[in-house]
């Protein structure tokens, strides 16, 4: 085990500097593992951690082509919430939010969870009706929800333009208080450190280029830029590249990949203490701990594997945010970036076996898989360890595309994060 982080350890390190140990050490890939996970994002790392902590499996490697957390996990706008419509999704995402609530302690790593709430604005009578339906669904599913009047929204978010002349009138809001943000890098690093301390190998700068197959056509390992690695089971958790890896293994996924971009302004003093989301403008905004305004909008318009966003979509995001918060129009834009997200037609994830024996996949989280890292890891570890679907993940298998039992969360993952 790694030494524990604590106030005392911090004091000791301050008094006697230079004695620290790395959070995890770089590993040379071995020639054989029980389980290989392709992709060192949040989902891959969480899967590795739960394989060791929940199932006692330690002969496991996470194979990452770049650096851990360098994919969507390190590019996302860090919103966590569980305000979904259908019971299957509500169960899945609320399990995840509950795990987030104790994750800092579980991993002994400060993930900077900030349950500052998420306010979905209603700009029309139709929005009010839709919000009432969502709130009812959330209450039925045992999830906290509040319907707010225009005045209550105005008092919670004083920076918002709720004046009669506002470009987008505000008629009310749907709030989830337990929603909020968590630090993305810390989630990846926390899982990596905890997994490594339980014996998991984390191999960076190692790209999986193909799959090794046995006599029966099942997968028995991976072919990588650092050599062949045998494995009894292989799990893919490589958002943005899921379709590419599936094609290498010889099957197709019902997924289209798009660029999704985000941006931050220059930092300013604290002025927004919740996450505000507006369906009509297709944008949302929160303020980071550093003071930057973190903004995001819709997907880019065309399918792509390029990790950059188009100017037109970026302009829409900025225009939308400024029409809601005119005061932010004075700020300079500091950075813009994009990730590639895997979008499934019913806007729900896939945690499933595949048509290829011994090969499993966790993908299709689209624009909203950061909030699902704990449950994605938990249920994918269960599947890889036991070969059977975890009850929470059971509705999210590939079979739903042949049975027709889709879980259409397009409304709840709308602009979707
Ligand atoms: C701009 C943006 C904003 C977002 N905002 C939110 C939000 O606010 N809330 C939310 O819940 N979600 C959000 N998301 C979605 C969220 O980021 C993703 O759903 C989630 O991070 C997916 O995690 P992952 O571990 O599956 O994938 P990733 O973090 O992308 O990790 C996959 C890893 O696989 C690696 N890989 C790929 N191919 C190979 C290969 N052949 N060999 C080895 N390694 C490989 C990649 O390098 C990558 O590191 C956002 C996404 C973006 C892009």
């Amino acid at each position: 085990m790694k030494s524990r982080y604590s106030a005392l350890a911090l004091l000791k390190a301050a008094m006697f500097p230079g004695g620290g140990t790395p959070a995890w050490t770089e590993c040379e890939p071995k020639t054989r593992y029980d389980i290989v996970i392709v992709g060192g994002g949040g989902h891959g790392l969480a899967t590795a951690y739960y394989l060791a902590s929940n199932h006692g499996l330690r002969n496991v490697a996470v194979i990452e082509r770049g650096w851990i957390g360098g994919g969507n996990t390190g590019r996302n706008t860090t919103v966590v919430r569980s305000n979904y419509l259908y019971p299957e999704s509500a169960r899945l995402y609320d399990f995840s939010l509950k795990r987030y609530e104790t994750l800092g302690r579980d991993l002994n790593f400060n993930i900077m969870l900030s349950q500052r709430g998420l306010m979905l604005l209603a700009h029309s009578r139709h929005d009010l009706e839709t919000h009432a339906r969502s709130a009812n669904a959330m209450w039925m599913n045992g999830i906290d929800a509040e319907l707010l009047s225009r005045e209550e929204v105005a008092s919670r978010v004083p920076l918002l333009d709720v004046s009669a002349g506002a470009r987008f009138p505000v008629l009310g809001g749907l709030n989830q208080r337990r929603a909020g943000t968590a630090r993305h890098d810390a989630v990846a690093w926390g899982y990596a450190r905890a997994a490594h301390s339980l014996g998991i190998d984390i191999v960076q700068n190692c790209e999986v280029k193909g799959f090794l197959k046995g006599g029966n056509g099942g997968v028995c390992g991976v072919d990588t830029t650092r050599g062949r690695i045998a494995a009894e089971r292989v799990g893919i958790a490589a958002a943005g590249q899921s379709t590419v890896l599936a094609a290498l293994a010889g099957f197709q996924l019902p997924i289209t990949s798009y660029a999704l971009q985000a941006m931050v302004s220059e930092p300013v003093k604290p002025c927004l203490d919740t996450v505000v989301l507006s369906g009509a403008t297709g944008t949302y905004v929160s303020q980071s701990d550093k003071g930057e305004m973190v903004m995001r909008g819709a997907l880019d318009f065309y399918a792509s594997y390029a990790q950059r966003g188009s100017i037109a979509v970026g302009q829409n995001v900025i225009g939308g945010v400024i029409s809601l918060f005119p005061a932010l129009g004075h700020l300079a834009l500091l950075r813009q970036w994009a990730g590639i997200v895997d979008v499934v037609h019913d806007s729900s994830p896939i945690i499933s076996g595949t048509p290829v024996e011994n090969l499993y996949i966790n993908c299709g989280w689209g624009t909203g898989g950061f909030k699902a890292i704990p449950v994605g890891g938990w249920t994918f570890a269960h599947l890889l360890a036991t070969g059977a679907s975890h009850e929470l993940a059971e509705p999210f298998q590939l079979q739903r595309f042949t049975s027709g039992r889709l879980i259409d969360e397009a409304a709840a993952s709308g602009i979707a994060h």
Side-chain angles (χ1 to χ4, degrees), residues 3-336:
S3 55
R4 281 188 67 76
Y5 293 144
S6 65
L8 193 64
L10 193 66
L11 196 67
K12 255 169 70 184
M15 291 172 68
F16 308 103
T21 51
W24 66 89
T25 37
E26 193 52 47
C27 301
E28 269 307 307
K30 293 194 278 203
T31 52
R32 168 172 292 278
Y33 290 96
D34 294 340
I35 296 176
V36 159
I37 298 162
V38 185
H43 283 268
L45 293 164
T47 303
Y49 170 69
Y50 293 122
L51 275 171
S53 62
N54 290 359
H55 302 279
L57 291 168
R58 289 159 192 238
N59 187 23
V60 173
V62 177
I63 307 290
E64 165 55 48
R65 71 174 177 178
W67 65 96
I68 59 165
N72 289 339
T73 298
R75 294 162 190 265
N76 93 94
T77 46
T78 75
V79 176
V80 297
R81 63 183 172 100
S82 62
N83 52 354
Y84 281 75
L85 206 55
Y86 291 101
E88 296 88 340
S89 326
R91 271 199 301 271
L92 190 78
Y93 288 101
D94 208 51
F95 180 91
S96 209
L97 190 52
K98 286 192 178 120
R99 293 268 91 71
Y100 262 127
E101 284 167 348
T102 60
L103 198 61
R105 263 172 285 137
D106 297 345
L107 300 180
N108 181 227
F109 204 100
N110 184 3
I111 61 153
M112 297 168 76
L113 177 70
S114 161
Q115 289 180 290
R116 60 184 70 180
L118 180 139
M119 175 89 72
L120 186 59
L121 299 176
H123 296 293
S124 66
R125 190 167 53 81
H126 312 288
D127 280 355
L128 287 173
E129 283 170 13
T130 313
H131 288 187
R133 183 186 174 215
S134 299
N136 282 326
M138 288 165 68
W139 289 323
M140 298 270 290
N141 290 323
I143 290 170
D144 62 305
E146 300 176 305
L147 284 171
L148 302 182
S149 66
R150 179 180 162 280
E151 291 68 33
E152 286 168 323
V153 173
S155 86
R156 293 266 178 100
V157 194
L159 200 62
L160 185 67
D161 183 7
V162 295
S163 66
R167 168 72 184 81
F168 292 92
V170 174
L171 305 189
L174 170 61
N175 196 36
Q176 186 184 17
R177 283 196 185 206
R178 286 168 57 241
T181 58
R183 173 81 199 167
H184 47 16
D185 298 324
V187 172
W189 297 338
Y191 273 120
R193 178 176 184 269
H196 185 66
S197 77
L198 293 177
I200 306 287
D201 280 1
I202 296 170
V203 184
Q204 302 183 95
N205 297 310
C206 180
E207 181 168 357
V208 170
K209 309 285 274 181
F211 295 91
L212 309 177
K213 299 224 173 141
N216 63 354
V219 159
C220 59
V222 289
D223 194 8
T224 79
T225 46
R226 288 165 70 176
R228 295 177 157 214
I229 304 171
E232 279 169 31
R233 287 184 176 155
V234 175
I236 301 174
Q241 292 289 302
S242 312
T243 47
V244 176
L245 285 157
L248 287 176
F251 68 99
Q252 287 189 324
L253 286 168
I255 278 182
T256 313
S257 297
Y258 296 93
L260 178 66
Q261 58 179 300
M263 57 208 74
V264 290
S265 72
E266 62 183 321
V268 285
K269 286 190 175 165
C271 58
L272 181 64
D273 64 359
T274 186
V275 184
V276 177
L277 192 146
S278 151
T281 63
T283 58
Y284 66 83
V285 58
S286 65
Q287 187 168 24
S288 76
D289 293 333
K290 282 188 278 181
E292 302 156 337
M293 306 309 296
V294 183
M295 298 169 273
R296 211 200 79 192
L299 294 166
D300 271 24
F301 303 120
Y302 43 84
S304 168
Y305 291 111
Q307 272 182 329
R308 59 175 181 269
S310 69
I311 290 178
V313 173
Q315 280 176 330
N316 283 348
V317 175
I318 295 167
V321 169
I322 292 176
S323 49
L324 298 170
F325 297 96
L328 301 183
H330 299 287
L331 300 183
L333 197 65
L334 196 63
R335 283 193 310 279
Q336 178 267 10

